[in-house]
Amino acid sequence: MLVRFFKNHFWVEQGTETLWMAWYLEYFQDSFAAHDHMWIDSMFGHLDDPWVPMILTAIGIFALIVGIWDLHRFYARQIMVGSLQFVWTLFAVAFVWHDLHTGMLGWMTGISVIVCIRIFVNYIKPTFHGKMLENEIKLVNGGDKRE
């Protein structure tokens, strides 16, 4: 199990960060108080509801389980990555919107944007890494040989 943990440490970290976000939203109530009466303010205002930290906790625990036990059955990894990307992108947009209205850049905005980028890059990294490795092997073997 320890080998799987170190193999998937990124997803375990993402699960822990998602649990941190759940704790943050539970501890700091009214983080997304509506400033105007626009539809987007009322939509982001629901991110302060009590059920949101419970959903984030469930996603975080699911990411921890998939990461620690290296689950691939029933598309568990794809579901985990999709739910993490959705949640963190939603909160990144909400924090940016909130910061635009308050005029101050919050630290959770920076963290959520960085986490969004990290999730996306780490999910597509094996694809690009495999392509780069194939190109390196072709270069070492003398490139494409044409007759």
Side-chain angles (χ1 to χ4, degrees), residues 21-137:
M21 176 69 83
W23 176 83
Y24 175 82
L25 291 175
E26 187 65 34
Y27 185 72
F28 293 106
Q29 296 292 323
D30 297 328
S31 297
F32 300 104
H35 301 286
D36 297 329
H37 295 291
M38 295 177 62
W39 64 273
I40 197 162
D41 283 329
S42 64
M43 182 181 74
F44 288 148
H46 287 293
L47 294 177
D48 285 329
D49 291 346
W51 51 269
V52 174
M54 289 188 287
I55 291 173
L56 286 176
T57 302
I59 292 172
I61 290 173
F62 181 64
L64 286 173
I65 290 170
V66 170
I68 291 173
W69 280 284
D70 196 23
L71 298 177
H72 292 280
R73 299 186 79 184
F74 304 115
Y75 301 103
R77 184 170 299 260
Q78 287 85 357
I79 292 169
M80 174 200 61
V81 172
S83 60
L84 284 173
Q85 187 69 52
F86 172 75
V87 164
W88 281 99
T89 304
L90 176 69
F91 279 102
V93 170
F95 280 122
V96 167
W97 183 261
H98 180 265
D99 290 349
L100 286 175
H101 282 287
T102 60
M104 290 179 53
L105 183 63
W107 58 278
M108 283 304 288
T109 305
I111 289 174
S112 59
V113 169
I114 289 169
V115 168
C116 280
I117 294 168
R118 284 179 60 210
I119 291 171
F120 179 72
V121 168
N122 201 350
Y123 187 66
I124 65 169
K125 180 176 65 173
T127 305
F128 286 114
H129 186 62
K131 294 290 185 189
M132 289 189 318
L133 187 61
E134 288 175 8
N135 290 338
E136 290 293 324
I137 291 172

